[in-house]
Amino acid sequence: MRILLVLALLATLPGCGAMADDDSGKVEVATGFYPLAYVAERVGGSLVDVENLTQPGAEPHDLELTVQETVTIARADVVVYEKGFQPAVDAGVEQGTEGVALDAATVVDLRPVAGQPDETDPHFWHDPLRLAKLADAVADELGRADPGHRATYRANARDLAADLAALDRQFATGLARCARQTVVTSHDAFGYLAKYGLAVEPITGLSPDAEPTPADLARLQDLIREQGITTVFSERLVSPKLADTLAGDLGIRSAVLDPIEGLSDASADEDYVSLMRANLTALEQANGCR
Ligand SMILES: [Zn+2]
C-alpha cells in the first residue's frame, strides 16, 4: 500500500519519466483552451497527442492548473496558448517548458475593444480567417519539433484553412442582408463578428464574471426596445440567469450563442466548425437575415 502511494505521488512530479505518452513517438502538444486544441488536432492529426488544459464544461477565463497540468506544460514539445487570456497558463509557461511555447496573440492580429483602444479582444476564433493564421503557425512549430513530417503538417494546415475560408464565406453570405445588426450577448466574446456587419452589445465585459451595473442594464433595455431586438443570447459554460432575466423582463426570447471557449456535455459531439454553423443559424434567426 505504501509503495503504491509513493508511485502515485511520483507520477505527479516532474522529472520522473512517468508520462506514458513520452514513449509513443508522438509530438506532445499542450493547449490552453478548446479552439487552440481543435487547431492542434487538425494540423497534427495522428502524429500528435493534444492535451487540452481546460477540461470539458469548465470556463477557460478563470482556469486554475493542477500540479499534473503544470507538468504537462513543462514536458510538452509545443504549448499553444494565448497570453493574457488565461493567467494560470501564462504562469505555467513562465515556469518553463522543455519545448516551445507558441503565443497565439503574437501570430494573430487581435482587434482593439470598441471604445478601449488599449485593450485587445482575445476572442479571435470567431473570425475563421484569423484562426487559419494560427493553423499556419502551429504547422511551422510542429514541423520544427518533428521535421520528418513537415509536409504533412503543412498539408493539414492547408486543408483546415480551406474549411475555415468556406466558413468565413458562409458567415459573410448569411449575415449580408439582415433586418437588424445589433446582437445582445452574455459576455463580450463576439466582437470579431463586426467583420460581418454585426454590432455586439454585451451584458457583461470581456470576462464572464464581470458584473453589469443597473445603468448598463437600463441602457440595454432601451436599446433592445428601440431597435426591436428579438433575442438575448446566453452561453453554455456560464449561468444564463442575466440573459434570461433581461429577456423575460422585455418579453423577448433568450437563445444560446456559443463563445466556443470550451466544449461541455451538451456540445461533446460538436466541433469548432459545427458550433460556428449553429451560431450562424441562431444569428440569422435573431436578426431577420435572408
Ligand atoms: Zn470569453
Side-chain angles (χ1 to χ4, degrees), residues 1-285:
M1 187 63 195
R2 186 171 292 167
I3 290 171
L4 281 177
L5 247 179
V6 170
L7 284 176
L9 274 173
L10 279 177
T12 67
L13 294 172
C16 303
M19 289 176 71
D21 289 344
D22 279 354
D23 303 324
S24 68
K26 294 188 178 190
V27 180
E28 301 287 328
V29 183
T31 59
F33 58 100
Y34 175 69
L36 309 183
Y38 175 77
V39 167
E41 280 163 3
R42 286 284 309 259
V43 174
S46 59
L47 298 170
V48 304
D49 267 330
V50 177
E51 176 108 17
N52 189 20
L53 297 166
T54 305
Q55 301 309 312
E59 207 292 315
H61 281 271
D62 47 11
L63 177 75
E64 290 181 18
L65 296 181
T66 63
V67 173
Q68 183 62 57
E69 287 165 338
T70 307
V71 175
T72 299
I73 291 176
R75 291 279 178 75
D77 299 305
V78 178
V79 181
V80 187
Y81 73 119
E82 184 178 15
K83 195 169 184 180
F85 185 59
Q86 296 174 290
V89 176
D90 296 354
V93 168
E94 271 161 31
Q95 284 178 35
T97 173
E98 290 171 13
V100 294
L102 173 62
D103 174 8
T106 64
V107 173
V108 176
D109 175 28
L110 297 181
R111 73 191 287 275
V113 178
Q116 289 160 287
D118 296 338
E119 194 167 4
T120 51
D121 182 348
H123 304 87
F124 68 87
W125 54 94
H126 290 284
D127 174 3
L129 298 187
R130 281 180 162 94
L131 197 61
K133 266 280 191 72
L134 178 66
D136 278 343
V138 169
D140 287 347
E141 289 306 341
L142 292 178
R144 259 177 225 128
D146 177 20
H149 293 109
R150 189 170 280 155
T152 305
Y153 298 129
R154 289 258 162 79
N156 290 349
R158 273 198 300 276
D159 283 351
L160 175 54
D163 289 352
L164 294 172
L167 188 61
D168 179 62
R169 283 193 298 273
Q170 284 170 358
F171 266 76
T173 308
L175 299 173
R177 288 195 306 275
C178 302
R180 289 166 296 279
Q181 271 69 46
T182 305
V183 182
V184 177
T185 67
S186 191
H187 88 282
D188 194 1
F190 300 95
Y192 286 84
L193 297 178
K195 77 177 278 197
Y196 307 113
L198 296 184
V200 178
E201 290 285 344
I203 303 173
T204 67
L206 277 179
S207 165
D209 49 14
E211 289 280 339
T213 64
D216 290 338
L217 288 173
R219 191 187 61 81
L220 267 179
Q221 290 190 342
D222 287 347
L223 183 106
I224 288 169
R225 286 199 196 93
E226 274 163 24
Q227 300 198 8
I229 288 167
T230 64
T231 309
V232 177
F233 286 109
S234 63
E235 53 191 78
R236 251 184 255 278
L237 298 177
V238 295
S239 161
K241 195 161 161 267
L242 268 176
D244 286 352
T245 305
L246 185 58
D249 286 351
L250 293 162
I252 61 175
R253 294 176 63 219
S254 78
V256 169
L257 197 64
D258 196 323
I260 321 184
E261 296 181 347
L263 299 182
S264 66
D265 286 348
S267 58
D269 296 334
E270 307 281 345
D271 68 11
Y272 165 81
V273 171
S274 71
L275 290 170
M276 285 290 282
R277 289 208 182 109
N279 279 355
L280 175 57
T281 302
L283 290 166
E284 288 169 340
Q285 273 174 7

